[in-house]
């Protein structure tokens, strides 16, 4: 729906003209056309966008208000709390983004909360982990030990000790004492950068779940080496499960890991697919969803049985989990989608375009969205049919209106040896 059309001077980027131009000119034309496309698309209000001034690289729900607010990691070096829906219980207004956690001068790539919910942590491009008091936003410890940027974080309580587990582009995973900043373990196994970490829910329950003290837990890691590895972690020991046989289900980098309520593992990969790995089949691929292009994020909506995928394509796709059918594609972002957060029968998507958008996932909302998209497509097709002839004439007129300087430049393009 978002057309690609640009005039450089009076040079029209039509398929014919683009093919006739040399490589450097085609590259410039494409860049200008892409900038124009993004500029036009940025004005859309799909998903009721909340706009920030910098790129959003990651997001998690605020566990105190899990259906109403997010913590987002910004390329400007901040973590920001954003209210995505009005909450009558505390009087907050949708779009409130005034709570900012400052300190880093490099992009923040990941965000997590301590097991007791009192400490906010963020992985950073400066190779360290920053932390703040959640309540007063004052900085606390800074964790140093990685040699490249920190990409992902998870936290858990082992015995009576809160720990944070970090994965970085240096291919290492570090387990830290959250309160002291001391390193407990350094895990090696991946050959390239760590892209995501997730705790196996069958081995761990949060402290407030009433399960008593947990002495060890299983953490899954995914990397740029396309491997998924499993680590059994306690305060005293760490063991890599099946170290000689990591889980290999994708052709290239695995960007995201998520467990659903059944304990199955969902993956998102640069190979353009999302897969469901069945726990009962020892995490072999049970189903594949062909999103296309790089898939950066995946989420599962349990109530309706939907799978949500997003990534470089800018679209947020909704799939029927059982049949694998594509139900609907939400369009709105104009840059890569970097994260998905499930709310109650809604999904929030964040993007490097600096926007947060929320999509309704009830059957009624999805049906309404499909009907609106059909109307939009019919309207565009009708407009295209009516304007096809005049568009061709306009392109001819554009080419005929060149200045002398542009004529000389065009002649040089036509005679270039690269043609």
């Amino acid at each position: 729906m978002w057309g690609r059309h640009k005039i450089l001077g009076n040079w029209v980027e039509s398929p014919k003209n683009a093919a006739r131009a040399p490589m450097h000119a085609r590259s410039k034309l494409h860049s200008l056309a892409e900038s124009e496309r993004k500029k036009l698309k940025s004005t859309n209000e799909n998903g009721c966008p909340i706009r920030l001034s910098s790129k959003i690289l990651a997001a998690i729900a605020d566990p105190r208000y899990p259906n109403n607010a997010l913590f987002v990691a910004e390329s400007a070096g901040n973590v920001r709390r954003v209210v995505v829906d009005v909450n009558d219980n505390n009087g907050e207004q949708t779009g409130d983004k005034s709570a900012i956690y400052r300190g880093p001068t490099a992009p923040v790539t990941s965000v997590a909360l301590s097991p007791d919910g009192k400490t906010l942590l963020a992985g950073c491009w400066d190779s360290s982990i920053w932390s703040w008091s959640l309540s007063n936003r004052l900085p606390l410890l800074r964790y140093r030990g990685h040699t490249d940027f920190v990409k992902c974080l998870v936290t858990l309580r082992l015995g009576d000790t809160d720990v944070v587990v970090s994965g970085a582009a240096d291919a290492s995973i570090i387990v830290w004492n959250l309160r002291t900043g001391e390193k407990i373990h350094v895990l090696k196994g991946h050959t390239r950068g760590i892209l995501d970490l997730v705790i196996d829910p069958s081995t761990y329950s949060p402290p407030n779940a009433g399960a008593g003290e947990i002495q060890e837990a299983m953490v899954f890691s995914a990397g740029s080496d396309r491997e998924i590895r499993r680590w059994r972690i306690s305060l005293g020991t760490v063991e890599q499960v099946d170290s000689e046989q990591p889980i290999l289900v994708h052709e290239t980098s695995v960007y995201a890991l998520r467990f659903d309520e059944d304990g199955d593992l969902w993956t998102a990969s640069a190979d353009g697919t999302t897969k469901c790995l069945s726990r009962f089949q020892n995490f072999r691929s049970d189903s594949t969803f062909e999103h296309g292009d790089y898939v950066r994020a995946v989420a599962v909506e349990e109530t309706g049985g939907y799978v949500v995928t997003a990534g470089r394509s800018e679209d947020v796709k909704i799939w029927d989990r059982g049949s694998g059918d594509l139900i609907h594609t939400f369009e709105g972002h104009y840059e890569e989608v970097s994260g998905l957060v499930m709310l109650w029968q809604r999904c929030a998507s964040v993007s490097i375009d600096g926007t947060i958008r929320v999509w309704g996932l009830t059957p009624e909302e999805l049906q309404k969205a499909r009907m609106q998209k059909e109307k939009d497509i019919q309207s565009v097709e009708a407009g295209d049919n009516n304007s096809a002839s005049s568009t061709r004439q306009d392109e001819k007129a554009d080419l005929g209106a060149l200045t002398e300087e542009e004529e000389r430049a065009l002649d040089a393009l036509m005679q270039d040896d690269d043609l």
Side-chain angles (χ1 to χ4, degrees):
M1 292 180 61
W2 306 98
R4 298 171 183 262
H5 179 80
K6 180 66 185 177
I7 298 175
L8 176 60
N10 286 317
W11 174 260
V12 179
E13 190 203 7
S14 65
K16 180 179 178 181
N17 289 336
R20 289 161 58 191
M23 183 63 70
H24 65 274
R26 290 200 297 270
S27 177
K28 186 174 183 180
L29 288 168
H30 174 76
S31 178
L32 290 170
E34 184 67 2
S35 296
E36 183 68 11
R37 181 191 70 84
K38 291 177 181 179
K39 181 180 178 181
L40 290 171
K41 193 176 179 182
S42 68
T43 61
N44 82 85
E45 296 297 315
N46 298 344
C48 301
I50 298 171
R51 295 179 168 88
L52 305 185
S53 59
S54 66
K55 298 176 181 179
I56 305 173
L57 304 182
I60 62 170
D62 181 343
R64 300 167 300 178
Y65 307 101
N67 297 316
N68 304 94
L70 308 177
F71 290 103
V72 300
E74 297 186 81
S75 64
N78 304 318
V79 176
R80 188 186 300 263
R81 182 178 183 273
V82 182
V83 180
V84 296
D85 193 10
V86 64
N87 187 331
D88 295 333
N89 294 327
N90 61 9
E92 293 182 317
Q93 297 300 310
T94 301
D96 183 356
K97 49 191 175 183
S98 59
I100 305 173
Y101 298 78
R102 306 180 188 275
T105 57
V108 176
T109 56
S110 51
V111 60
L113 283 165
S114 61
D116 62 8
K118 296 180 179 180
T119 303
L120 181 68
L121 301 109
C124 184
W125 271 24
D126 64 11
S127 306
S128 71
I129 302 165
W130 294 70
S131 66
W132 298 265
S133 166
L134 188 67
S135 59
N136 60 26
R137 305 200 291 276
L138 293 177
L140 300 173
L141 290 181
R142 188 174 174 190
Y143 307 75
R144 293 180 173 91
H146 286 292
T147 58
D148 208 336
F149 70 84
V150 180
K151 178 61 179 175
C152 46
L153 302 171
V154 294
T155 65
L156 60 161
R157 180 171 294 170
L158 297 176
D160 60 357
T161 302
D162 287 348
V163 302
V164 56
V165 185
S166 58
D170 60 12
S172 73
I173 299 168
I174 299 180
V175 182
W176 313 78
N177 184 311
L178 193 149
R179 298 305 167 200
T180 67
E182 176 189 3
K183 287 184 188 178
I184 301 174
H185 303 296
V186 178
L187 316 182
K188 294 286 189 177
H190 286 278
T191 58
R192 299 181 64 187
I194 313 300
L195 299 177
D196 203 13
L197 297 166
V198 66
I199 301 169
D200 183 346
S202 74
T203 67
Y204 180 78
S205 297
N208 59 7
E213 286 192 357
I214 304 295
Q215 300 300 323
E216 68 174 27
M218 188 84 75
V219 173
F220 284 59
S221 60
S224 299
D225 55 9
R226 79 185 185 96
E227 296 178 349
I228 300 171
R229 292 181 175 268
R230 291 175 281 180
W231 312 85
R232 185 176 290 112
I233 299 172
S234 69
L235 292 177
T237 63
V238 61
E239 176 192 1
Q240 186 175 174
V241 179
D242 296 331
S243 59
E244 300 302 319
Q245 295 181 317
I247 299 170
L248 296 171
V249 294
H250 287 286
E251 297 175 3
T252 184
S253 302
V254 181
Y255 286 121
L257 301 172
R258 294 292 181 272
F259 277 101
D260 63 23
E261 290 184 356
D262 294 331
D264 293 331
L265 181 65
W266 292 81
T267 65
S269 172
D271 66 13
T273 67
T274 278
K275 293 179 182 286
C276 176
L277 310 187
S278 170
R279 178 180 295 275
F280 296 109
Q281 299 180 45
N282 197 25
F283 298 104
R284 292 183 175 88
S285 179
D286 181 64
S287 52
T288 299
F289 298 77
E290 300 280 351
H291 178 97
D293 213 339
Y294 287 35
V295 189
R296 293 284 186 180
V298 59
V300 179
E301 202 287 307
E302 303 283 355
T303 303
Y306 304 127
V307 178
V308 187
T309 60
R312 184 182 288 182
S313 69
E314 305 173 2
D315 299 332
V316 176
K317 295 187 177 182
I318 314 300
W319 308 81
D320 182 280
R321 175 177 175 172
S323 68
D325 293 337
L326 179 62
I327 296 175
H328 184 64
T329 299
F330 286 109
E331 298 179 350
H333 289 291
Y334 52 96
E335 294 275 9
E336 182 176 303
V337 178
S338 53
L340 297 170
V341 179
M342 290 307 308
L343 311 173
W344 174 249
Q345 293 192 301
R346 294 170 299 153
C347 183
S349 56
V350 300
S351 168
I352 62 173
D353 65 16
T355 68
I356 303 167
R357 298 172 189 259
V358 179
W359 315 98
L361 299 181
T362 65
E364 295 77 16
E365 288 172 307
L366 287 170
Q367 178 63 17
K368 181 179 179 181
R370 287 196 297 268
M371 292 176 62
Q372 183 60 51
K373 189 169 185 176
E374 283 296 322
K375 288 176 61 177
D376 292 342
I377 291 173
Q378 292 172 6
S379 176
V380 169
E381 289 176 345
D384 286 346
N385 290 334
N386 292 334
S387 63
S389 177
S390 61
T391 298
R392 288 193 292 270
Q393 293 300 320
D394 288 345
E395 289 187 356
K396 291 180 180 179
D398 285 331
L399 288 173
L402 301 178
T403 65
E404 289 186 16
E405 182 179 356
E406 289 168 333
E407 288 278 11
R408 288 194 297 272
L410 184 57
D411 287 341
L413 288 176
M414 294 300 99
Q415 297 174 26
D416 195 292
D417 291 338
D418 293 337
L419 290 175

